[in-house]
Amino acid sequence: MAQVQQRPEEATSDQQLIERVARQDRQAFEQLYDRYAAAVFGLALRTLGDRQIAEEAVQEIFWRVWQRAASFDRSRTFAPWLFGIAHNYCIDELRRRRARPQPVYEDDDHPVLSSIADTTDVSERALQGEQQRIVADALQQLPNEQRQAIELAYFGGLTQQEIATRLGNPLGTIKTRMRLGLQKLRGILQDQGLVD
Amino acid sequence: MKTHSEHEHIEELIEGYALDALEPEERSLVDQHTSSCSPCRKQLRVTEETVHMLGFVAAPITPPVRCKLKVLEKIEREQFLHTPTRRSRTATPFSTWATVAALVLFMATGMWGVSLQRQMSRMSTDMTRARNEIAELEGMLAEVQEIRALKGEGQSQYAVANTFMKPGSNKALLVIRNLPPLSAGQTYKVWVAREGMEEGLTTFNPPPADDTIQVAIEPREPMDHYKWIMVTIENTQSADHPSQQQALFGDL
Ligand SMILES: [Zn+2]
C-alpha cells in the first residue's frame, strides 16, 4: 500500500498547529495560513470564478478556522476539515449568487476553471503537491460521466436534480453515477492512506 | 431499531449528502437516520472526508498578501476587544496588526498613507480610547524613511524588532515581537549609544507572548547621530548604564 509522503520530521505538523490555534496562538495560525492559503484560494477561485469574491472567501474561511479551531476533532486530519469549511462556504456563496448572471460553467464538459490552472504558483504547489497529485489522479481514473457528476456538484454547487436537468439524464442515472464515482474515489484514497 | 430497508435507503443517499447535492427532504432523512445510527454515521463521515479531499484538486494559487493581513487584523481586533486592557505610561502596548500590516505594506511598496489611514480610521472607530495613540503613531510613522532591524539575544533569541526612523529626526518607533516575560521588579529599557556614550530612554513592561509592542522613543539627538540601539533587562527603571543582559541589539 503506497503511503503519502509525510512532511519532513522537523516541520511542525498541521495537527500541532491547529491545536495551538485553538489556544489562540496567532503565530501557529499564520503558519497554517501560509501552508494552505494557496489551496483554499485555488478552490475558491475554481468554485466562485471571480478573484475578488474568492479573496473575500479566503478571508472568511480562515476567520472560521480561527473561530472553530477549538472544536477541531484531534482524531481527524486537518486538511479535510479545512476543505470542508472552505467548500461549505464557497457553495453557500455560489448558491447565494446564482441569481446573478455570471455562469460558473460555460460548458459542462469544460469547467471555466481549468483555464485558471495556468497561473498556478509552482512553489505553493510543491507543499501539498503529493496529495494533490493523488487526488487528481484518482479523479481521472473515474469514468467521465461519474467524474462529471461529482465535479458539477462539488465545484458547481448543483444538486442531483439540477444536474439531471442540465444533462438531460434521468435523476436515477445521476444518483447512480455520483454514488459509484464517489465509492470508487473513496476506495482509491483509502488505498493511498489519504482517507480512513 | 432501524429496519434493513431504511439503512439501504439511507446508504443510497450518503454520497449525494456528502456532496451537498440532495433535495432538502432527502437531506433531513439522512440527518434523522444518522443521528441514531452509528454504522451509517461512520460511513457518512468517511464519505465526507473523501469529498473534502477534492479540495486538493483545484490548482493552488497564491492569494494577494492583503488577504492575510485582513484576516490577521480581524483576529487582532477581536483579541484586543475581548482581553482586558494592558497599558503602561511609558510604552504603547496597543498591538495592532493594522499598524504592522501598514508597516509591511510600506516596506514592500512604499505605498504608505492610503492603507495606513484607512486601517487606522477603521481601528479607531472601533476603539475610541486608542484614537489619540493612533493619531500620534500615525504622524510618527508617516515620517518613516529608514528601518533598522534588531536581533534577539540570549533568552530573547526569538524576539524580533525593527526601528522605524527618519535621519535628522530624534523621533523613532520600535516595533517588537515575542519578548519573553520578565521576573517581578525587572523592566525592559531602550538605549541608544555610540562610542563613549550611552543614553537611556523609555522603559516598558513586556506584553504577553506572541504579542507586538510599539515603543515610541525620543533621544536627545537625531537618530542618525547614534551608532547602536539596544533593549536591555534592568532591575531598576533609573539605571544609568545598560546592564549586561541584552535582549535586543541592532546597528543604526
Ligand atoms: Zn443506518
Side-chain angles (χ1 to χ4, degrees):
Chain A
M1 187 165 96
Q3 287 287 335
V4 178
Q5 206 178 343
Q6 297 297 309
R7 285 176 195 289
E9 285 305 316
E10 65 270 23
T12 314
S13 73
D14 293 347
Q15 244 56 16
Q16 290 169 312
L17 289 174
I18 189 66
E19 283 174 26
R20 282 168 53 193
V21 174
R23 299 193 299 268
Q24 308 263 296
D25 182 331
R26 285 199 306 240
Q27 282 188 326
F29 176 82
E30 277 188 66
Q31 276 182 270
L32 277 178
Y33 181 96
D34 292 341
R35 273 182 198 175
Y36 284 97
V40 170
F41 189 52
L43 173 60
L45 206 47
R46 178 156 179 185
T47 310
L48 297 164
D50 177 285
R51 274 195 95 87
Q52 198 186 332
I53 299 171
E55 278 186 32
E56 286 165 18
V58 169
Q59 292 162 38
E60 183 56 34
I61 289 160
F62 278 96
W63 171 243
R64 290 181 185 184
V65 167
W66 172 260
Q67 288 180 307
R68 297 179 190 177
S71 67
F72 175 76
D73 176 355
R74 291 168 180 219
S75 67
R76 301 179 63 177
T77 37
F78 174 74
W81 180 77
L82 168 67
F83 286 136
I85 292 175
H87 184 242
N88 284 344
Y89 175 86
C90 290
I91 293 303
D92 286 349
E93 191 61 20
L94 187 64
R95 288 176 177 167
R96 223 165 53 73
R97 292 175 183 267
R98 183 150 280 156
R100 300 183 192 186
Q102 179 150 26
V104 182
Y105 284 78
E106 290 171 32
D107 165 352
D108 292 336
D109 290 323
H110 300 93
V112 162
L113 331 166
S114 39
S115 61
I116 293 170
D118 294 344
T119 59
T120 300
D121 183 318
V122 178
S123 65
E124 293 296 341
R125 190 200 275 272
L127 195 61
Q128 284 108 25
E130 178 74 357
Q131 295 179 59
Q132 196 206 0
R133 188 186 59 71
I134 291 172
V135 181
D137 284 355
L139 202 57
Q140 286 306 314
Q141 290 178 44
L142 306 184
N144 280 338
E145 307 81 41
Q146 293 177 10
R147 183 173 63 244
Q148 182 188 42
I150 290 173
E151 288 191 344
L152 283 170
Y154 187 81
F155 293 112
L158 300 183
T159 64
Q160 292 175 330
Q161 183 63 64
E162 288 168 330
I163 296 170
T165 305
R166 196 127 174 187
L167 300 181
N169 293 123
L171 176 60
T173 305
I174 299 302
K175 282 178 182 285
T176 305
R177 285 178 190 170
M178 208 175 265
R179 245 199 118 186
L180 296 179
L182 214 49
Q183 284 172 356
K184 179 163 185 189
L185 194 63
R186 189 174 80 192
I188 298 171
L189 297 185
Q190 281 174 330
D191 286 348
Q192 299 283 340
L194 278 186
V195 170
D196 285 346
Chain B
M1 182 75 189
K2 305 288 174 189
T3 65
H4 183 63
S5 68
E6 193 183 335
H7 284 299
E8 279 193 338
H9 182 53
I10 296 302
E11 276 178 6
E12 284 174 10
L13 295 175
I14 278 182
E15 285 77 16
Y17 184 100
L19 276 162
D20 196 5
L22 297 182
E23 300 304 317
E25 317 82 65
E26 294 172 313
R27 216 182 150 73
S28 60
L29 279 181
V30 178
D31 282 331
Q32 275 171 26
H33 180 88
T34 51
S35 68
S36 59
C37 175
S38 101
C40 285
R41 194 161 57 237
K42 179 161 188 279
Q43 206 191 337
L44 176 60
R45 192 179 72 74
V46 179
T47 307
E48 282 181 327
E49 202 145 300
T50 303
V51 166
H52 293 156
M53 294 308 280
L54 289 169
F56 276 119
V57 175
I61 299 163
T62 307
V65 178
R66 60 176 168 268
C67 283
K68 181 176 178 180
L69 298 180
K70 282 181 182 168
V71 183
L72 293 174
E73 183 191 326
K74 193 168 180 179
I75 289 172
E76 175 88 15
R77 195 161 56 221
E78 188 230 30
Q79 283 194 320
F80 181 82
L81 290 173
H82 293 99
T83 45
T85 39
R86 337 167 270 275
R87 295 168 61 86
S88 74
R89 207 178 53 76
T90 48
T92 313
F94 173 59
S95 93
T96 91
W97 257 102
T99 310
V100 176
L103 293 172
V104 170
L105 286 176
F106 170 63
M107 288 186 280
T109 65
M111 286 177 60
W112 176 258
V114 182
S115 69
L116 180 69
Q117 279 167 20
R118 188 180 51 71
Q119 298 193 53
M120 286 299 186
S121 64
R122 200 178 332 143
M123 295 295 289
S124 57
T125 49
D126 290 346
M127 292 168 269
T128 45
R129 66 188 158 186
R131 190 172 287 148
N132 291 340
E133 261 171 20
I134 288 172
E136 192 182 332
L137 270 180
E138 187 179 12
M140 198 179 296
L141 290 172
E143 297 289 311
V144 169
Q145 286 180 5
E146 307 247 350
I147 299 167
R148 300 275 188 272
L150 287 80
K151 265 186 64 182
E153 314 256 328
Q155 65 175 30
S156 308
Q157 58 176 317
Y158 298 114
V160 286
N162 282 295
T163 306
F164 296 84
M165 54 182 267
K166 179 187 179 185
S169 167
N170 68 335
K171 288 187 175 170
L173 185 74
L174 206 50
V175 178
I176 309 169
R177 290 193 81 176
N178 298 341
L179 268 184
L182 294 176
S183 318
Q186 290 187 317
T187 179
Y188 284 108
K189 184 163 186 166
V190 185
W191 304 81
V192 285
R194 58 179 177 255
E195 283 93 348
M197 74 87 77
E198 298 132 349
E199 187 179 331
L201 304 170
T202 306
T203 58
F204 63 95
N205 292 315
D210 291 346
D211 219 335
T212 304
I213 187 169
Q214 296 149 4
V215 184
I217 54 173
E218 198 172 340
R220 282 190 290 270
E221 297 176 39
M223 289 298 290
D224 50 331
H225 289 194
Y226 301 91
K227 204 164 171 185
W228 304 288
I229 181 166
M230 60 196 132
V231 174
T232 57
I233 298 168
E234 303 292 342
N235 294 318
T236 113
Q237 300 216 344
S238 55
D240 290 334
H241 298 284
S243 73
Q244 295 301 306
Q245 289 182 276
Q246 278 183 6
L248 289 156
F249 186 90
D251 294 320
L252 282 174

